[in-house]
Amino acid sequence: MKLYIKYMVSRRCKTLVKKELERLNLTYFTLDLGVVEIIEDITNEKRTQFKNNLLKSGLELLDDKKSILVEKIKTTIVEMIHYSEEIPNINYSGYISDKLGYNYTYLANIFSEVKGITIQQYIINHKIEKIKELLLYDELNLTEIADKLHYSSSAHLSNQFKKITGLSPSFFKELQIKRKINLEDL
């Protein structure tokens, strides 16, 4: 039986879920990226107790099918952009559809209904976060970052970055360097 838990991907959250599972003597097979697969059937009483205890820790057990599907879409996007060594060089709609086994239009409609933004906007937001991260690592130049994230050009990346953040990538990087220097001076 799979249970879907809404939480930010962090060791702390994963540890909280793990401790709660152990406290309730629930044997689990996997615990990863918002999904815990429990080996045994879980009683309604234990499920309610698990749900309530997660809420106390700021975590949420997802029950409704739309929310679960949206979390799967979000997880797929986060894995694709932040945790894959190489972002797939296919269109994202095909990748997400293939990975989740649903028609993309269906996924896009549910995502927009639940989140209030499009899947494409969610992808762009995460790509911008990845760009920020790569800029701060200072290992790749803008052209290399554009290639890595499959932008048609560094100009396209820069325009999208500025549209979302209000800053050019170079100005963002400059600000972060100044902020770091100021923090070191404290």
Side-chain angles (χ1 to χ4, degrees):
M1 162 184 277
K2 284 187 180 181
L3 298 177
Y4 295 89
I5 304 162
K6 184 177 183 180
Y7 65 89
M8 295 299 291
V9 180
S10 73
R11 285 194 177 121
R12 181 186 162 279
C13 291
K14 198 170 179 178
T15 302
L16 285 170
V17 173
K18 190 175 181 178
K19 283 181 182 176
E20 189 55 36
L21 288 166
E22 290 167 357
R23 198 177 78 64
L24 293 172
N25 293 318
L26 293 171
T27 309
Y28 62 93
F29 179 66
T30 57
L31 172 59
D32 193 36
L33 287 175
V35 178
V36 61
E37 194 167 350
I38 296 175
I39 295 171
E40 63 204 74
D41 283 333
I42 184 171
T43 65
N44 284 338
E45 182 183 326
K46 275 194 177 182
R47 184 184 180 85
T48 301
Q49 194 175 6
F50 185 56
K51 183 177 183 172
N52 290 338
N53 290 343
L54 288 175
L55 278 172
K56 290 176 189 173
S57 300
L59 308 176
E60 181 181 352
L61 182 62
L62 299 176
D63 291 326
D64 103 57
K65 290 182 185 322
K66 286 182 180 180
S67 294
I68 290 169
L69 190 53
V70 166
E71 288 305 310
K72 285 181 179 181
I73 294 166
K74 288 168 52 180
T75 299
T76 300
I77 292 167
V78 168
E79 286 174 341
M80 176 179 68
I81 294 173
H82 296 282
Y83 296 105
S84 295
E85 198 55 40
E86 189 66 34
I87 293 178
N89 197 11
I90 62 171
N91 84 22
Y92 298 129
S93 58
Y95 178 81
I96 294 166
S97 183
D98 289 347
K99 181 110 170 146
L100 298 178
Y102 288 95
N103 173 288
Y104 183 76
T105 303
Y106 172 73
L107 294 172
N109 288 336
I110 286 182
F111 192 89
S112 294
E113 177 187 326
V114 172
K115 296 301 293 173
I117 63 170
T118 65
I119 289 177
Q120 188 61 35
Q121 188 59 50
Y122 189 80
I123 290 170
I124 290 168
N125 291 342
H126 275 274
K127 284 176 79 173
I128 297 301
E129 291 306 310
K130 183 68 174 182
I131 292 165
K132 289 177 182 179
E133 181 183 313
L134 292 170
L135 285 169
L136 296 178
Y137 284 156
D138 202 26
E139 294 173 4
L140 302 174
N141 64 37
L142 206 55
T143 302
E144 292 167 328
I145 293 171
D147 287 344
K148 182 177 180 70
L149 296 177
H150 304 297
Y151 279 91
S152 57
S153 66
S154 58
H156 179 222
L157 180 152
S158 294
N159 288 336
Q160 195 170 71
F161 190 93
K162 188 165 187 168
K163 183 178 177 185
I164 300 297
T165 66
L167 307 170
S168 70
S170 55
F171 190 69
F172 169 80
K173 189 173 180 176
E174 233 177 85
L175 278 177
Q176 296 308 313
I177 290 169
K178 286 179 183 176
R179 184 175 290 156
K180 185 177 177 183
I181 290 169
N182 288 338
L183 287 174
E184 289 171 355
D185 289 343
L186 294 178

